[in-house]
């Protein structure tokens, strides 16, 4: 499966526009090797660790006989920050936002649908 790097870069540019000053960082990586393909204020250590968190969360849900992990999960952090981890096929993306500078409405209603669509398009 090939990935369109230019489309990934476009996703990052749209995040900058849609989230403005609330956009802190993002990385898009292949789950197989946990190496960032593109990013903005990249955080390689976070990529490696969230790759493992996603694997463990998926395993935990299956072992608990819960429905499987969907396209994303959210983690609310200190200092009014939030990280969204998206998982589309063999790729993942982290998006770190400052909720004091953007809204959950923009994130959930505008940004996430657009990013999910863009990731699907980039991985076709």
């Amino acid at each position: 499966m090939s990935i369109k790097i230019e489309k990934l870069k476009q996703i990052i540019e749209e995040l900058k526009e849609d989230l403005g000053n609330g956009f802190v960082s993002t990385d898009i990586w292949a789950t197989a090797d946990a190496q960032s393909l593109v990013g903005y204020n990249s955080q390689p250590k976070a990529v490696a660790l969230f790759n493992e968190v996603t694997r463990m969360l998926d395993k935990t849900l299956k072992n608990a006989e819960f429905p499987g992990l969907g396209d994303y999960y959210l983690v609310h952090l200190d200092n009014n920050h939030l990280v969204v981890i998206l998982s589309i096929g063999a790729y993942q993306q982290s998006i770190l936002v400052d909720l004091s500078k953007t809204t959950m409405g923009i994130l959930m209603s505008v940004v996430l649908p657009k990013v999910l669509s863009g990731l699907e398009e980039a991985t076709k």
Side-chain angles (χ1 to χ4, degrees), residues 1-2 20 25 29 32 34 38 41 62 64 69 72-73 77 81 90 94 104 107 110 121 124:
M1 181 184 322
S2 66
S25 70
W29 69 91
V38 296
N41 292 332
K62 287 177 182 170
L69 190 59
Y72 64 89
Y73 60 94
L77 307 170
H81 281 67
S94 64
M104 281 294 286
L107 182 64
V110 176
E121 188 178 317
K124 285 183 184 176

Side-chain angles (χ1 to χ4, degrees), residues 14-24 40 101-102 106:
E14 290 175 3
L15 282 169
K16 290 177 187 177
E17 291 173 20
D18 293 340
L19 293 171
N21 291 334
F23 181 41
V24 178
Y40 170 76
K101 298 178 181 176
T102 192
I106 293 292

Side-chain angles (χ1 to χ4, degrees), residues 29 34 46-58 73 92:
W29 69 91
V47 167
L49 294 171
F50 274 116
N51 198 61
E52 184 65 11
V53 168
T54 301
R55 187 190 66 75
M56 291 180 67
L57 181 56
D58 188 50
Y73 60 94
Q92 293 184 59

Side-chain angles (χ1 to χ4, degrees), residues 36-102:
S36 184
L37 301 169
V38 296
Y40 170 76
N41 292 332
S42 288
Q43 300 184 27
K45 191 174 187 178
V47 167
L49 294 171
F50 274 116
N51 198 61
E52 184 65 11
V53 168
T54 301
R55 187 190 66 75
M56 291 180 67
L57 181 56
D58 188 50
K59 180 180 176 183
T60 299
L61 291 170
K62 287 177 182 170
N63 288 340
E65 297 181 7
F66 278 35
L69 190 59
D71 293 335
Y72 64 89
Y73 60 94
L74 310 169
V75 181
H76 189 246
L77 307 170
D78 286 340
N79 298 326
N80 211 23
H81 281 67
L82 181 105
V83 66
V84 182
I85 305 296
L86 299 98
S87 183
I88 300 296
Y91 299 92
Q92 293 184 59
Q93 178 174 3
S94 64
I95 304 171
L96 179 61
V97 297
D98 181 342
L99 291 175
S100 68
K101 298 178 181 176
T102 192

